[in-house]
């Protein structure tokens, strides 16, 4: 379109999942050119593909980010359509000669972005992608033999001492273009406030925007991080950072989390190292999604394709799992937390996932899709990785086949039953010693709690029996596609 940079041609800053002014390399690079910047959000197929909760959360995040941009003299232009065509139209309308964005790593986004980059460059447009979403580009971490990591601990050892540059300061002023091009109305989209159903229930549980995320990180590093290693597994206690929803839409950066965690570690806060390790679990999930993208929807270890799963997704047991009515108190509390809050504690994510796969013998993909529909912190890499890890089809390095016992997990991590009582009112009358097995007590069902749909002891044996059918094939190694 044009070869040389024009003095005052705007730069399009294509906003995706990086809803923040600080530590945002793409936005900062655009701002530093000393030219007008045109922030744009495109509702394309990648957005339409999202489940209801992440769509809603993204929409609310965009409303906040639009306000934040207005605070620095700019605003968001909203458009819907295929990304390349929409960018073309905006380039034409605004006279822009550059498009900057932050990299995404799921295979569909990678394909879309590389296609767009090539086509824009052919037109003489400076199309540049930037980091900011991850601490380590997934291809930058290699084993000694040049491969990728398949197990978390060696991955952690490989990155734990790497220097992470300090986060970039926030953008305080953006030069506005002479005219902002026409924008669609975000509130008219089925996104954020435009979505009515269910939103009022989940709304009190989300903390929106960059400022809230920074406050959350600072508060966490001030207090809860000290006991994080001890309390992060107790779902009745709000002992974790709660930053996953902010990380999912980029309202905070992993650099900011890493450096805050490091400072807490230097201050002698005991749990800080565990927090840093969790941030690196997220990195590991992205590393695997980059190197083995089939992790998103196929068994990471392909031998599991031959496992005799139950195929009937219409089975009433599946509905009971989704509604938190399995009769297994710790599982039901967790599923109800998900429905009410759009979030579930990490410990219980593993317990409900194990229950679906190893007690009901259903494929992990069913649960992965349900989470993708209901989690406000939905993240493609972490969700698929978490499901595959728990199912046994993924990267769990345990030498034995791990089957979570939902009753023992409840006793261990919800000793007093407080988590169960919070979400399962039918069981509030039971004591700590009764609440995990209501079927053993006369008044266990007196307040309408459903009877258990399966006996864990029986289904554990059934799961191990089914495992024998594929074990001979040793389905250990992942395929690389
Ligand atoms: P904290 O304990 O405060 O941890 C800090 C951050 O570290 C988190 O925000 C997250 O970014 C990262 N982190 C922590 N644990 C993990 C982990 N196991 N894997 C990857 N990153 C981690 N996380 C998501 O962000 N989105 C998902 O869609 C998602 N789906 C999951 C599904 C299953 C079946 C399982 C077992 C885990 C899933 N996780 C997912 C990981 C984890 O449960 C959440 O990141 C965590 O519960 C978020 O709460 P928090 O922000 O308070 O975490």
């Amino acid at each position: 379109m044009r070869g040389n940079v024009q003095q005052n041609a705007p730069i399009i800053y294509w906003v995706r999942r990086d809803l923040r002014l600080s530590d945002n390399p793409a936005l900062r690079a655009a701002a530093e050119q000393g030219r007008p910047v045109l922030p744009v959000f495109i509702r394309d197929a990648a957005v339409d593909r999202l489940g209801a909760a992440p769509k809603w959360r993204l929409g609310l995040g965009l409303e906040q980010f639009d306000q934040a941009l207005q605070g620095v003299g700019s605003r968001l232009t909203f458009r819907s359509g295929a990304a390349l065509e929409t960018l073309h139209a905006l380039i034409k309308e605004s006279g822009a000669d550059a498009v900057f964005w932050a990299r995404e790593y799921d295979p569909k986004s990678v394909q879309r972005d590389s296609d767009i980059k090539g086509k824009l460059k052919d037109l003489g447009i400076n199309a540049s992608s930037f980091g900011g979403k991850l601490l380590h580009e997934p291809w930058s971490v290699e084993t000694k033999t040049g491969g990728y990591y398949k197990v978390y601990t060696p991955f952690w050892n490989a990155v734990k001492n790497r220097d992470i540059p300090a986060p970039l300061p926030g953008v305080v002023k953006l030069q506005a273009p002479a005219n902002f091009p026409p924008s669609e109305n975000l509130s008219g989209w089925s996104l954020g406030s435009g979505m009515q159903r269910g939103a009022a229930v989940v709304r009190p549980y989300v903390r929106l925007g960059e400022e809230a995320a920074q406050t959350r990180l600072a508060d966490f590093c001030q207090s809860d991080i000290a006991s994080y290693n001890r309390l992060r597994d107790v779902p009745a206690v709000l002992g974790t950072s709660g930053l996953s929803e902010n990380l999912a839409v980029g309202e905070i950066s992993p650099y900011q989390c890493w450096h805050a965690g490091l400072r807490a570690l230097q201050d002698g806060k005991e749990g800080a190292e565990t927090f840093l390790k969790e941030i690196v679990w997220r990195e590991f999930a992205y590393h695997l999604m980059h190197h083995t993208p089939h992790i998103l929807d196929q068994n990471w270890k392909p031998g599991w394709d031959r496992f005799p799963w139950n195929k009937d997704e219409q089975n009433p047991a599946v509905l009971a799992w989704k509604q938190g009515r399995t009769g297994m108190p710790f599982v039901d509390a967790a599923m109800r937390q998900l429905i009410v809050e759009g979030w579930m504690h990490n410990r219980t994510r593993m317990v409900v996932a194990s229950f679906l796969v190893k007690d009901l013998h259903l494929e992990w993909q069913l649960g992965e899709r349900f989470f993708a529909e209901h989690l406000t912190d939905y993240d493609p890499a972490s969700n698929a990785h978490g499901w595959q890890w728990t199912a046994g089809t993924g990267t769990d390095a345990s030498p034995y086949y791990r089957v979570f016992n939902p009753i023992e997990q409840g006793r261990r991590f919800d000793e007093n039953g407080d988590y169960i009582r919070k979400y399962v009112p039918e069981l509030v009358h039971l004591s700590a010693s009764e609440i995990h097995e209501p079927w053993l007590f006369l008044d266990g069902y007196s307040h309408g709690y459903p009877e258990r749909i399966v006996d864990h002891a029986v289904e554990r044996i059934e799961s191990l029996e089914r495992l024998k059918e594929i074990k001979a094939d040793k389905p250990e190694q992942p395929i690389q596609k």
Side-chain angles (χ1 to χ4, degrees):
M1 215 167 260
R2 52 184 77 78
N4 298 322
V5 171
Q6 294 186 358
Q7 262 316 318
N8 229 21
I11 297 165
I12 293 177
Y13 158 52
W14 180 14
V15 176
R16 293 117 63 92
R17 300 293 185 282
D18 51 336
L19 311 184
R20 62 182 183 277
L21 297 176
S22 63
D23 198 33
N24 186 332
L27 174 61
R28 188 151 190 96
E32 282 177 347
Q33 305 296 310
R35 294 196 276 139
V37 177
L38 176 57
V40 168
F41 180 82
I42 302 171
R43 182 188 150 191
D44 69 349
V47 177
D48 288 335
R49 267 196 305 273
L50 287 172
K55 223 182 230 173
W56 173 74
R57 180 61 180 82
L58 173 65
L60 294 186
L62 284 167
E63 288 166 19
Q64 290 278 317
F65 190 48
D66 187 22
Q67 282 172 24
L69 285 168
Q70 289 178 30
V72 296
S74 187
R75 73 158 102 126
L76 258 177
T77 295
F78 295 101
R79 290 287 176 94
S80 41
L84 179 63
E85 282 74 45
T86 308
L87 288 170
H88 266 151
L90 284 161
I91 287 166
K92 250 189 170 162
E93 289 168 45
S94 66
D97 63 1
V99 184
F100 289 3
W101 66 80
R103 277 188 283 283
E104 289 291 325
Y105 300 87
D106 62 282
K108 285 186 175 144
S109 298
V110 170
Q111 181 62 52
R112 175 196 63 191
D113 294 349
S114 70
D115 184 41
I116 287 177
K117 199 179 245 184
K119 296 211 163 98
L120 291 182
K121 283 192 165 164
D122 287 348
L123 296 172
I125 300 291
N126 170 6
S128 299
S129 60
F130 296 79
K133 190 182 178 94
L134 297 174
L135 296 173
H136 311 286
E137 294 298 344
W139 49 87
S140 74
V141 189
E142 287 184 344
T143 63
K144 287 198 178 80
T145 55
Y148 67 97
Y149 284 93
K150 302 179 185 79
V151 176
Y152 169 79
T153 305
F155 181 84
W156 161 253
N157 287 332
V159 299
K160 67 181 178 191
N161 292 323
R162 282 192 176 186
D163 274 340
I164 305 288
L168 298 167
V171 165
V172 290
K173 179 85 198 127
L174 278 180
Q175 196 178 319
N179 295 302
F180 281 99
S183 172
E184 290 172 32
N185 197 344
L186 176 61
S187 60
W189 288 355
S190 301
L191 224 60
S193 302
M195 297 168 83
Q196 294 308 325
R197 205 158 54 93
V201 178
V202 185
R203 182 66 185 85
Y205 298 96
V206 294
R207 274 189 275 174
L208 298 173
E210 182 172 2
E211 218 179 297
Q214 289 296 342
T215 306
R216 191 178 243 190
L217 177 65
D219 289 351
F220 175 71
C221 288
Q222 191 60 40
S223 58
D224 288 346
I225 200 168
S227 51
Y228 178 75
N229 50 335
R230 285 181 290 112
L231 295 181
R232 63 175 290 272
D233 266 324
V234 184
V237 174
L238 297 173
T240 65
S241 73
L243 285 165
S244 51
E245 60 165 315
N246 308 107
L247 280 162
V249 292
E251 288 168 347
I252 199 160
S253 81
Y255 279 52
Q256 293 167 329
C257 295
W258 181 263
H259 279 278
L262 267 190
R263 282 193 298 276
L265 189 64
Q266 284 151 8
D267 288 350
K269 297 208 165 93
E270 210 193 323
E273 189 183 10
T274 312
F275 178 67
L276 296 175
K277 283 185 171 166
E278 295 308 318
I279 296 294
V280 169
W281 270 105
R282 176 176 177 271
E283 299 286 315
F284 183 50
Y286 273 85
H287 180 73
L288 289 168
M289 182 170 70
H290 170 76
H291 288 287
T292 50
H294 71 280
I295 196 173
L296 291 177
D297 51 12
Q298 296 164 54
N299 293 320
W300 191 66
K301 292 176 183 164
W304 284 86
D305 293 351
R306 293 187 301 283
F307 190 86
W309 304 106
N310 286 355
K311 291 288 179 194
D312 180 12
E313 293 195 7
Q314 304 309 320
N315 188 313
V318 177
L319 188 63
W321 179 81
K322 289 180 176 173
Q323 293 181 336
R325 297 182 56 77
T326 65
M328 214 48 95
F330 203 41
V331 171
D332 290 346
M335 293 306 287
R336 295 185 196 186
Q337 178 178 34
L338 175 64
I339 300 302
V340 173
E341 300 181 11
W343 186 85
M344 190 195 289
H345 191 276
N346 181 61
R347 171 57 46 185
T348 49
R349 287 187 205 209
M350 292 188 283
V351 171
V352 304
S354 181
F355 187 79
L356 185 77
V357 174
K358 293 171 185 173
D359 286 58
L360 302 182
H361 318 294
L362 284 143
E363 285 180 289
W364 61 268
Q365 289 94 330
L366 192 166
E368 193 277 340
R369 289 197 304 272
F370 191 73
F371 272 29
E373 195 62 28
H374 292 277
L375 279 173
T376 51
D377 72 6
Y378 166 68
D379 176 287
S382 298
N383 197 35
H385 179 261
W387 273 95
Q388 296 236 38
W389 187 94
T390 316
T393 58
T395 64
D396 185 359
S398 162
Y400 57 88
Y401 185 55
R402 195 193 303 262
V403 181
F404 283 82
N405 179 329
I407 304 156
E408 288 313 313
Q409 287 282 311
R411 283 198 200 293
R412 187 163 160 212
F413 296 107
D414 189 29
E415 213 180 330
N416 293 325
D418 294 337
Y419 181 70
I420 294 174
R421 274 184 218 97
K422 184 169 177 189
Y423 298 102
V424 187
E426 306 100 292
L427 296 176
V428 283
H429 61 293
L430 296 182
S431 68
S433 61
E434 297 166 340
I435 200 163
H436 298 286
E437 290 181 281
W439 49 87
L440 296 180
F441 300 92
L442 270 181
D443 65 345
Y445 293 114
S446 58
H447 291 75
Y449 187 60
E451 287 187 30
R452 59 185 164 159
I453 55 171
V454 290
D455 179 338
H456 173 70
V458 173
E459 300 310 329
R460 180 179 168 277
I461 293 169
E462 169 67 17
S463 193
L464 292 170
E465 282 301 314
R466 293 188 189 204
L467 182 68
K468 285 182 190 157
E469 295 193 26
I470 61 163
K471 221 178 165 189
D473 300 325
K474 291 225 175 297
E476 293 311 319
Q477 286 310 307
I479 37 173
Q480 192 160 6
K481 287 188 176 168

